[in-house]
Amino acid sequence: VQDYLNIRKGAGTNYGRVLRSDLSDSMRAKTAEGNKYAVLKPGVKVKCLKVSGSWMKISGGWICCREGSDIYVK
């Protein structure tokens, strides 16, 4: 992960964000502390479970991989 990324309940911005407290301990350790919602920290590694357009499913929900020429996940 190259940037701070919100974890969503589905692939798209129309889906709500995931609460940090709803994540497993291992996923919660990869998120920024002090937030109500789950936000992945830059530099963490996550396992891709599925790709849908520019969205990637991870164990805690969905994150945006890229938007236009901006790439958030490598």
Side-chain angles (χ1 to χ4, degrees):
V1 175
Q2 302 294 310
D3 202 350
Y4 287 96
L5 297 175
N6 289 313
I7 300 176
R8 301 236 175 222
K9 295 178 182 179
T13 56
N14 293 334
Y15 290 91
R17 295 185 294 172
V18 173
L19 292 172
R20 190 169 184 267
S21 59
D22 290 343
L23 296 175
S24 66
D25 290 341
S26 62
M27 277 305 295
R28 195 175 308 124
K30 296 178 181 187
T31 62
E33 293 183 30
N35 294 312
K36 177 180 178 180
Y37 295 103
V39 179
L40 283 180
K41 299 183 282 190
V44 299
K45 292 184 180 185
V46 291
K47 183 177 180 179
C48 176
L49 303 175
K50 181 179 179 179
V51 174
S52 177
S54 61
W55 290 82
M56 183 172 79
K57 181 163 179 55
I58 60 174
S59 65
W62 291 82
I63 57 173
C64 184
C65 300
R66 68 169 198 249
E67 187 173 342
S69 63
D70 295 330
I71 298 172
Y72 306 124
V73 177
K74 290 187 178 185

